[in-house]
Amino acid sequence: MRLLIQFRSLLSRVLDLPPENLIKSISAVPISRKEEVADFQLSVDSLLENNNDHSRPDIQIQAMRLAEKLKCDTVVSEISTGQGTVNFKINRELLTKTVLQQVIEDGSKYGLKSELFSGLPQKRIVVEFSSPNVAKKFHVGHLRSTIIGNFIANLKEALGHQVTRINYLGDWGMQFGLLGTGFQLFGYEEKLQSSPLQHLFEVYVQVNKEAADDKNVAQSAHEFFQRLELGDMQALALWRKFRDLSIDEYMRIYKRLGVHFDEYSGESFYREKSQEVLKLLDSKGLLQKTLKGTAVVDLSGNGDPSSICTVMRSDGTSLYATRDLAAAIDRMEKYNFDKMIYVTDKGQKKHFQQVFQMLQIMGYDWAERCQHVPFGVVQGMKTRRGDVTFLEDVLNEIRLRMLQNMASIKTTKELENPQETAEQVGLAALIIQDFRGFLLSDYQFSWDRVFQSRGDTGVFLQYTHARLHSLEETFGCGYLNDFNTACLQEPQSVSILQHLLRFDEVLYRSSQDLQPRHIVSYLLTLSHLAAVAHRTLHIRNSPPEVAGARLHLFRAVRSVLANGMKLLGITPVCRM
């Protein structure tokens, strides 16, 4: 932020400190609805070297001494002290001109060019997300992995990293033994062709019930999977058919979600390499055989049952953990990543801890570059037809409900493609509800809350973006060549400018903890500020100079709003 650089160099001269030492000590002040606040604050605590040696009163005295040292000038118009801080109010016309110019000039890069990100090395990052199971419909539980992984990949990419998005399909394992046997018992080729995923799901449910009651069915499933592992042509042909039909269906759904992948991988890719992993574990003396004939790795070294990880069945076939080890080793060879992020539900926390630990004891130091981003469970998501089993039901429900909402609102514009708009607005609603809290939290799903047009919802964000876009359409861009900063000194304008000043800090916070809620909270506040300004700062019937300045302000808001929404995986709509 240009204004911040100017301000920091001024402070560094007075404090006799290099400007880079002040980067983390100065921050924009969050706006307050109750009172006008300063623009920047300097944290005295972070300036003092041995924080623990300083009690609060000492910090307060230091803050006051520091404030006395500093003088107002053409940049700073007011200096005061807060709780352990020195607060600065910037010359209002300078604030207006610098912030708006930078938003317009930087465009989609606004906030990302900040000094907070300077010196960050460009990294090779692998993000594994979504990862549904082949031949089972895309379960709603995969929705969270898909949208969270997409957000993380978007953010890392925006920061200039080289990101590889991997969809690691559950396309191997005992479920294929069950499915292969189930299809031979209950499958119909014509149903498979006309409605593949629905039919495969029905077969899978039915064979699971049968296997629980009939040992012969369970044994047959076990034998079918063994045939797959040994490369039996007939078994593989059926498996490949299930896989291909499923991937076609997934790709169609990802397109609706606005999500893409660089690589469709799967557990099946590693069935041979997982045997190499077992040999490596054995050669290092880490593999132990149990009385049942399975192979395990004792991660505790002292027989602690909670630290024992099974890596091979008694018949020699591989397990999920073995294939994950093989996949991680293969990706390191292929991508030489600096970071690999796995996005799955919190139920897999122990699994990944064990996988990373095994990689370490196998001698792969890069295991510390692997990270699991866990998330909580969505509860109570139902459609009008009952419990949700499949994501597509949710997408269809969103579109239907949103179309009905839009039809009932008198201000709804005539749309070229109402179905598409309804889906984009509905997806925004779903994503914002999901991203508002901590990712690790479970949350109760509510259709009513999702589709509120007022309050902190995705519908409100889309409505704000469409409304601001409509202003530009109505009044044209003739006003946008230049503007008079003196025309934007109302409290509503200043609050927006102060908020725009903070965008880089919010992006930085999300980049540190990979939580989208910081960006969501920021965008909702920006939309509320824009709504207040839209009601009070009229463009129609205002003098041209005033109208032009206000249009400039609203254009900047729309630009930052769109940038933030795209990072979250939302496509901003221009009409609704």
Side-chain angles (χ1 to χ4, degrees):
M1 300 290 175
R2 248 171 257 143
L3 190 58
L4 196 52
I5 294 167
Q6 224 175 323
F7 174 58
R8 198 181 291 122
S9 63
L10 184 136
L11 270 186
S12 76
R13 288 197 298 274
V14 177
L15 301 174
D16 197 23
L17 283 169
E20 56 272 19
N21 286 22
L22 295 168
I23 289 174
K24 299 282 171 70
S25 301
I26 300 169
S27 59
V29 179
I31 56 147
S32 162
R33 290 184 186 182
K34 294 175 187 169
E35 56 186 353
E36 192 184 338
V37 294
D39 302 310
F40 292 116
Q41 59 185 23
L42 172 70
S43 165
V44 179
D45 206 355
S46 68
L47 272 186
L48 300 170
E49 279 177 3
N50 302 313
N51 292 350
N52 299 336
D53 299 342
H54 295 272
S55 61
R56 276 285 149 210
D58 289 342
I59 285 175
Q60 210 51 42
I61 292 163
Q62 293 272 10
M64 290 170 83
R65 279 190 197 143
L66 209 50
E68 284 164 15
K69 259 194 196 181
L70 300 160
K71 298 280 181 284
C72 295
D73 59 8
T74 53
V75 176
V76 179
S77 61
E78 203 176 289
I79 299 169
S80 60
T81 56
Q83 199 63 41
T85 62
V86 181
N87 303 329
F88 304 89
K89 193 173 173 181
I90 302 297
N91 172 314
R92 285 291 165 251
E93 289 198 25
L94 180 69
L95 174 78
T96 308
K97 188 176 182 183
T98 319
V99 172
L100 292 188
Q101 269 184 355
Q102 192 157 7
V103 173
I104 304 303
E105 278 176 30
D106 289 355
S108 63
K109 293 285 178 197
Y110 179 71
L112 297 163
K113 291 183 172 182
S114 164
E115 277 191 303
L116 288 170
F117 299 113
S118 67
L120 275 182
Q122 284 198 352
K123 293 184 175 178
R124 287 178 299 276
I125 296 172
V126 171
V127 188
E128 183 202 290
F129 63 105
S130 194
S131 308
N133 291 307
V134 167
K136 299 180 190 177
K137 263 208 177 179
F138 197 123
H139 192 277
V140 70
H142 294 115
L143 172 65
R144 288 206 87 184
S145 174
T146 307
I147 61 177
I148 293 165
N150 190 46
F151 158 71
I152 291 170
N154 288 348
L155 183 60
K156 294 292 185 187
E157 228 160 49
L159 291 169
H161 300 300
Q162 187 184 319
V163 177
T164 303
R165 301 160 186 251
I166 294 182
N167 196 342
Y168 182 64
L169 302 169
D171 66 352
W172 204 250
M174 260 315 289
Q175 85 252 30
F176 280 94
L178 283 161
L179 200 63
T181 297
F183 193 74
Q184 287 166 349
L185 291 172
F186 317 114
Y188 294 95
E189 187 62 32
E190 58 272 26
K191 281 190 180 180
L192 182 67
Q193 293 304 327
S194 62
S195 179
L197 292 184
Q198 185 66 45
H199 186 49
L200 288 174
F201 179 72
E202 288 162 359
V203 166
Y204 188 70
V205 170
Q206 199 171 350
V207 75
N208 260 302
K209 283 180 188 166
E210 293 289 328
D213 300 331
D214 186 341
K215 282 184 180 172
N216 291 332
V217 174
Q219 181 59 31
S220 175
H222 196 80
E223 285 166 8
F224 189 92
F225 182 52
Q226 235 176 335
R227 281 167 56 206
L228 273 178
E229 287 257 298
L230 293 168
D232 177 86
M233 296 305 286
Q234 212 177 348
L236 279 172
L238 190 58
W239 165 81
R240 202 167 285 114
K241 187 192 286 186
F242 295 162
R243 188 181 193 274
D244 292 348
L245 288 167
S246 297
I247 289 177
D248 286 348
E249 188 76 355
Y250 295 143
M251 288 177 85
R252 193 173 56 75
I253 295 170
Y254 291 131
K255 196 173 179 182
R256 285 179 72 177
L257 283 168
V259 173
H260 74 276
F261 292 93
D262 300 301
E263 182 184 303
Y264 279 86
S265 172
E267 293 181 63
S268 62
F269 287 54
Y270 300 107
R271 63 181 192 272
E272 285 169 21
K273 290 188 177 180
S274 62
Q275 295 303 316
E276 292 168 27
V277 167
L278 291 171
K279 282 177 193 163
L280 187 58
L281 285 165
D282 199 21
S283 69
K284 290 185 177 282
L286 298 166
L287 212 56
Q288 298 174 14
K289 282 281 176 75
T290 67
L291 293 171
K292 292 177 182 173
T294 59
V296 300
V297 176
D298 177 9
L299 293 165
S300 68
N302 59 21
D304 175 4
S306 66
S307 297
I308 285 174
C309 183
T310 306
V311 290
M312 187 184 82
R313 290 191 182 87
S314 55
D315 62 3
T317 56
S318 61
L319 284 151
Y320 185 45
T322 336
R323 295 190 286 272
D324 260 353
L325 290 169
I329 295 163
D330 179 60
R331 288 172 194 170
M332 190 62 196
E333 287 170 5
K334 192 172 175 183
Y335 298 112
N336 190 23
F337 57 77
D338 299 297
K339 191 80 167 171
M340 178 154 65
I341 298 165
Y342 296 85
V343 185
T344 73
D345 68 83
K346 60 186 177 185
Q348 295 197 47
K349 189 178 175 186
K350 186 181 176 184
H351 165 77
F352 283 108
Q353 281 173 344
Q354 291 189 332
V355 167
F356 300 161
Q357 212 177 328
M358 274 192 281
L359 287 168
Q360 284 277 14
I361 63 173
M362 286 166 81
Y364 296 114
D365 293 342
W366 48 261
E368 63 192 24
R369 302 182 204 174
C370 298
Q371 179 184 1
H372 178 218
V373 176
F375 55 82
V377 179
V378 184
Q379 295 157 332
M381 191 183 272
K382 294 184 176 186
T383 67
R384 287 161 208 203
R385 294 189 307 177
D387 283 341
V388 166
T389 313
F390 311 130
L391 178 64
E392 200 162 12
D393 298 339
V394 180
L395 296 181
N396 293 339
E397 185 87 3
I398 282 172
R399 188 164 61 189
L400 182 68
R401 286 181 185 246
M402 204 61 231
L403 278 169
Q404 288 170 343
N405 275 23
M406 284 157 58
S408 67
I409 297 168
K410 288 174 187 171
T411 54
T412 298
K413 302 270 193 302
E414 194 64 42
L415 300 169
E416 274 179 37
N417 192 336
Q419 298 260 349
E420 195 179 320
T421 301
E423 188 145 301
Q424 296 299 355
V425 176
L427 274 174
L430 198 69
I431 289 169
I432 294 301
Q433 167 147 317
D434 195 283
F435 284 178
R436 279 184 60 195
F438 284 96
L439 294 181
L440 205 49
S441 304
D442 299 339
Y443 75 89
Q444 196 66 34
F445 185 83
S446 156
W447 286 113
D448 292 340
R449 195 165 62 241
V450 161
F451 289 119
Q452 283 172 355
S453 55
R454 297 184 181 281
D456 293 345
T457 66
V459 179
F460 176 55
L461 286 189
Q462 289 282 33
Y463 175 68
T464 304
H465 184 272
R467 190 189 227 182
L468 295 174
H469 187 269
S470 168
L471 279 181
E472 287 174 43
E473 273 191 330
T474 306
F475 297 101
C477 293
Y479 284 124
L480 295 175
N481 299 328
D482 200 14
F483 65 99
N484 184 347
T485 53
C487 297
L488 288 175
Q489 301 310 309
E490 307 88 349
Q492 298 91 326
S493 302
V494 172
S495 289
I496 286 175
L497 293 163
Q498 288 177 317
H499 196 57
L500 292 175
L501 207 53
R502 291 186 59 234
F503 191 49
D504 63 333
E505 291 174 20
V506 172
L507 295 178
Y508 182 74
R509 201 172 305 153
S510 277
S511 75
Q512 293 299 292
D513 64 8
L514 302 183
Q515 296 283 331
R517 65 191 179 91
H518 311 300
I519 297 173
V520 169
S521 172
Y522 176 90
L523 296 180
L524 288 166
T525 301
L526 183 61
S527 295
H528 285 298
L529 292 171
V532 171
H534 188 269
R535 282 196 300 271
T536 50
L537 308 178
H538 301 131
I539 293 173
R540 199 182 296 282
N541 302 328
S542 293
E545 211 176 24
V546 174
R550 287 174 179 175
L551 203 55
H552 231 94
L553 180 73
F554 288 128
R555 183 192 182 194
V557 171
R558 186 183 70 79
S559 175
V560 174
L561 186 59
N563 293 349
M565 287 165 80
K566 286 172 189 170
L567 283 176
L568 296 174
I570 296 168
T571 303
V573 299
C574 295
R575 293 169 78 83
M576 67 178 273

